[in-house]
Amino acid sequence: MRFSQLYAPTLKEAPSDADLVSIKLLIRGGFLRKVAAGIYTFLPLGLKVLKKVEEIVRQEMNAIGSQEILMPIIQPAELWHETGRWDDYGPEMMKLQDRHERFFTLGPTHEEIITHILRNELKSYKQLPFSLYQIAMKYRDEIRPRFGVMRSREFLMKDAYSFHDSWDSLDDTYRDFYCAYSKILERIGLDFLVVEADSGAIGGNESHEFNVLAKYGESTLLYCDCGYAASDEKAEYRFELREQQGESGTLESVATPSSRTVEEVSSFLGVNAGDIIKSLIYKGRKGYFIVLIRGDEELNESKLKAAMNDQTVVMATPQEVMELLKVPTGFVGPVGLPEEIRIISDYSIKGLKNAVCGALKEGYHYRFVLPGRDFEIDEWLDLKMVRPGDSCPKCGTPLKSAKGIEVGHIFKLGTKYSEKMNGYITDARGRNSPYIMGCYGWGVSRTIGAIVEQLHDKDGIIWPLETCPFHIVVTAVNIKDESIARTSLEIYDFLKSKNFDVLLDDREISPGMKFKDADLIGIPLRITVGRKLAEGVIEIKSRTEAKPVSVIIDNGYEALSLEIERALSAYNPKSILKLEEE
Ligand code: ATP
Ligand code: MG
């Protein structure tokens, strides 16, 4: 490709709404253009990288025997009514109507479609196991589209679904996908962490997320050198009982006129946040309940939903609390609650002897509260948001934390969809039973953002070899110089014949601008044909090395070939980052 003919409009400045370095560089480098919030066009360079990522994912899927299909993006509402997700999926679902006023969705995911296709045709356990995948656009009306293609409303996903007649068989396939996902990230050459994850609204009983490590990743990960790693939505810890000092006093009501929050009550009464019982009213399928947690801890709603096995759980609104208990939220507490309200408590309440909690009366709190004496707890659960420094649930060592970008997510779905959508087969014993499913998502377009977020420096992107738009750029310093132009073209043709993806920078602009563009776009090797050509010398510069290497080309391109080979085998996008950190 000649740069003079390539549509890669590079920019000096990123648009002001580009909110992360990766999207800034992808726009400045001419890879992407924004069309609307969370909706992007991939320009030639962007599409080239996208196709390369797509191909790596496709190869690793094919390598584990998964078969590629293509399902429709537009899905009829009826299928989503069958699983109840037309209503449950929430406002992220893009909905539309056809001319007959029938409802459809632009698919945010494809469990319903795949289960529907197979339910009419899968008959026997003998046809199992197998898995199908597709690489296609997905639509989610994200509440906050941001970070470019990393949280967009239209995005390319690889989604796969597997079908089994036993849990052992699902475990085997789940392991295959786990390994394939690790291999994708190893091939691209990214630092990543696989964590245990919450399965949320998709359902199922086991799930892992694949996270590319990055300073500004949206996911918080907790991990330990012993191998334990989990997303913060899921992370557990080893509870250690911390008894409050002294004897328990007698329960006493105290006026706290305008103190509602933990901070206000703790400064008004001169107690630690850790001495306060935070009391929160929640609403789920079975009605209202109260959740207690120590004032210095944060409640993890994902753990609450998972523990209650109820994804509809939400915090009650102040109006709802007022109607229910006739008291503003800041004065709610467990002492003297109506019996029908279940009391669920996080372990952190254990060991409190002289605690403070709301008195169920406006403007008052209780002091010297003793759980067990002043109120009964119906259920103890681990509901706290685990923090770095908390003890690892496996080995007790303090946990560490990191930020990550979730690029892949795998789930053991079980029979959730097959049962609801009548996906039954005859099993080995002749019984009619629902098939067991797994599902496996990979964010293909998000991967591009993740690569750039991890691999860049102040000058631009540093693409790994597997996903770079071009391996080599041949920079003709002055294209009007006949000898430079001829040699540049010869080298370009030579490299093409060696199957390199090569760009010839034949534009009539200054060499400085050409060098800047090459660094911004992130091409691994730059071959400069310039003034030294008169002495038979050209230069090769790796994107990750500070200085160019001179190569003599008077006897053909043998020396050039060798130097390219050396530079490519030494090429390591991460090396430059380590240098920068020092
Ligand atoms: P997140 O928690 O980031 O919203 P998710 O759990 O909703 O992700 P899945 O439903 O598991 O995501 O989708 C599979 C993969 O699709 C994710 O791992 C991610 O890589 C990608 N993905 C999900 N939402 C988006 C989005 N809005 N933009 C780009 N990629 C996305
Ligand atoms: Mg999501």
Side-chain angles (χ1 to χ4, degrees):
M1 183 85 215
R2 286 163 180 261
F3 211 143
S4 57
Q5 287 155 22
L6 174 69
Y7 189 70
T10 55
L11 305 172
K12 276 217 180 75
E13 297 284 337
S16 58
D17 61 351
D19 49 6
L20 214 54
V21 67
S22 48
I23 184 64
K24 284 185 183 151
L25 291 175
L26 286 165
I27 290 184
R28 284 188 52 214
F31 292 80
L32 295 176
R33 286 295 178 260
K34 182 171 158 180
V35 175
I39 298 178
Y40 288 85
T41 293
F42 286 77
L43 296 180
L45 289 179
L47 188 63
K48 231 173 151 195
V49 174
L50 189 72
K51 295 268 174 211
K52 286 194 178 184
V53 173
E54 191 181 316
E55 199 45 37
I56 295 171
V57 173
R58 178 175 284 115
Q59 285 169 6
E60 296 308 327
M61 291 297 100
N62 293 343
I64 57 168
S66 198
Q67 301 164 65
E68 188 166 4
I69 58 170
L70 187 59
M71 290 182 268
I73 281 165
I74 298 187
Q75 310 181 4
E78 293 78 55
L79 295 177
W80 287 73
H81 284 304
E82 285 188 44
T83 58
R85 289 212 296 178
W86 184 259
D87 300 315
D88 285 357
Y89 204 92
E92 267 187 30
M93 227 167 143
M94 300 257 201
K95 295 174 177 174
L96 68 153
Q97 279 182 295
D98 68 7
R99 65 173 74 200
H100 307 294
E101 297 185 348
R102 290 190 200 108
F103 277 100
F104 291 82
T105 177
L106 296 180
T109 178
H110 278 70
E111 284 80 10
E112 277 78 1
I113 298 278
I114 194 91
T115 312
H116 165 71
I117 294 165
L118 297 188
R119 67 178 160 185
N120 298 318
E121 283 157 14
L122 259 191
K123 302 269 187 268
S124 157
Y125 74 98
K126 290 182 190 154
Q127 295 166 280
L128 304 177
F130 65 90
S131 74
L132 302 172
Y133 75 95
Q134 67 167 348
I135 301 178
M137 284 298 180
K138 292 279 185 283
Y139 295 82
R140 295 184 185 176
D141 199 358
E142 299 278 357
I143 185 163
R144 275 219 290 163
R146 54 185 182 155
F147 306 153
V149 287
M150 290 206 275
R151 183 160 302 282
S152 46
R153 297 197 292 168
E154 176 182 82
F155 58 96
L156 193 64
M157 195 205 282
K158 186 283 301 171
D159 47 326
Y161 306 87
S162 69
F163 306 89
H164 312 269
D165 68 338
S166 74
W167 288 93
D168 284 348
S169 161
L170 171 62
D171 288 348
D172 288 344
T173 300
Y174 189 85
R175 216 169 300 125
D176 287 346
F177 274 91
Y178 189 116
C179 294
Y181 276 28
S182 305
K183 206 148 166 225
I184 292 168
L185 290 166
E186 280 157 14
R187 274 183 67 180
I188 299 176
L190 293 170
D191 285 334
F192 67 99
L193 190 63
V194 189
V195 299
E196 293 176 17
D198 179 52
S199 32
I202 302 266
N205 57 358
E206 193 178 346
S207 144
H208 285 88
E209 281 170 5
F210 290 71
N211 286 275
V212 170
L213 297 172
K215 216 197 274 170
Y216 296 106
E218 272 192 291
S219 309
T220 302
L221 318 171
L222 281 304
Y223 69 98
C224 175
D225 294 336
C226 78
Y228 177 76
S231 72
D232 64 346
E233 292 179 341
K234 164 91 180 177
E236 296 171 5
Y237 72 114
R238 187 178 286 180
F239 172 70
E240 282 147 29
L241 186 63
R242 251 189 14 213
E243 292 241 11
Q244 226 175 5
Q245 300 297 313
E247 290 299 305
S248 313
T250 314
L251 187 71
E252 177 183 295
S253 165
V254 45
T256 52
S258 51
S259 306
R260 292 159 188 262
T261 64
V262 168
E263 294 74 43
E264 287 163 357
V265 174
S266 103
S267 77
F268 185 79
L269 293 178
V271 297
N272 294 325
D275 299 334
I276 295 174
I277 297 174
K278 207 164 21 176
S279 310
L280 307 161
I281 301 287
Y282 273 86
K283 191 171 73 171
R285 270 196 223 100
K286 293 189 189 150
Y288 291 101
F289 56 96
I290 191 167
V291 181
L292 310 179
I293 187 161
R294 216 170 56 203
D296 58 347
E297 298 289 4
E298 192 191 334
L299 182 78
N300 182 335
E301 289 193 352
S302 303
K303 277 161 83 171
L304 179 63
K305 286 179 187 170
M308 308 289 289
N309 196 14
D310 182 355
Q311 289 296 321
T312 70
V313 163
V314 281
M315 193 185 276
T317 64
Q319 293 79 353
E320 287 171 331
V321 173
M322 188 53 103
E323 260 170 49
L324 184 74
L325 300 171
K326 314 283 178 278
V327 66
T329 43
F331 304 99
V332 168
V335 182
L337 266 188
E339 279 226 343
E340 63 275 14
I341 299 183
R342 272 172 67 76
I343 303 183
I344 301 207
S345 181
D346 177 63
Y347 293 122
S348 56
I349 298 296
K350 284 194 179 180
L352 291 183
K353 291 185 193 160
N354 288 303
V356 170
C357 67
L360 287 178
K361 184 172 159 194
E362 181 157 8
Y364 287 86
H365 276 78
Y366 281 126
R367 271 207 294 211
F368 309 119
V369 180
L370 179 62
R373 180 193 68 187
D374 300 323
F375 61 92
E376 287 300 330
I377 286 156
D378 294 303
E379 195 172 359
W380 290 101
L381 291 169
D382 167 15
L383 299 173
K384 100 176 193 111
M385 190 59 101
V386 172
R387 288 185 288 220
D390 286 334
S391 304
C392 168
K394 280 205 175 138
C395 74
T397 321
L399 287 166
K400 294 184 259 195
S401 85
K403 290 282 183 191
I405 299 162
E406 177 202 320
V407 288
H409 199 168
I410 58 178
F411 299 82
K412 290 185 183 172
L413 288 180
T415 55
K416 176 174 167 176
Y417 294 90
S418 46
E419 270 180 42
K420 282 199 174 133
M421 296 187 70
N422 211 14
Y424 281 68
I425 45 152
T426 308
D427 71 13
R429 292 203 226 149
R431 291 173 314 194
N432 202 24
S433 51
Y435 44 75
I436 296 166
M437 289 170 64
C439 85
Y440 316 87
W442 187 280
V444 178
S445 43
R446 183 181 282 185
T447 303
I448 292 178
I451 295 171
V452 179
E453 202 50 45
Q454 190 175 94
L455 302 175
H456 67 267
D457 65 4
K458 62 179 186 349
D459 299 320
I461 303 170
I462 309 170
W463 288 109
L465 290 175
E466 287 257 14
T467 64
C468 58
F470 294 100
H471 298 116
I472 305 172
V473 55
V474 179
T475 304
V477 161
N478 175 7
I479 198 73
K480 287 195 175 140
D481 178 311
E482 199 197 319
S483 147
I484 288 181
R486 188 172 10 89
T487 308
S488 300
L489 191 60
E490 266 179 36
I491 293 175
Y492 170 68
D493 286 336
F494 170 73
L495 293 174
K496 275 205 304 189
S497 75
K498 296 258 173 190
N499 285 328
F500 286 114
D501 220 342
V502 43
L503 179 67
L504 172 64
D505 197 345
D506 56 346
R507 294 174 299 169
E508 291 185 22
I509 57 171
S510 76
M513 284 165 82
K514 292 184 182 184
F515 297 159
K516 271 208 161 62
D517 276 351
D519 282 353
L520 174 62
I521 291 170
I523 301 172
L525 293 190
R526 189 181 79 211
I527 296 178
T528 309
V529 185
R531 240 175 284 134
K532 288 188 191 160
L533 185 62
E535 296 133 47
V537 173
I538 59 166
E539 282 182 348
I540 300 188
K541 188 185 165 302
S542 165
R543 180 70 179 80
T544 59
E545 284 170 26
K547 292 208 173 110
V549 174
S550 295
V551 179
I552 298 170
I553 52 159
D554 53 359
N555 297 322
Y557 298 126
E558 212 38 50
L560 177 69
S561 269
L562 285 174
E563 181 49 31
I564 288 175
E565 228 169 83
R566 186 211 62 81
L568 287 179
S569 64
Y571 182 71
N572 175 11
K574 284 183 216 155
S575 63
I576 200 162
L577 305 177
K578 301 227 167 69
L579 277 177
E580 282 218 326
E581 277 163 21
E582 276 163 13

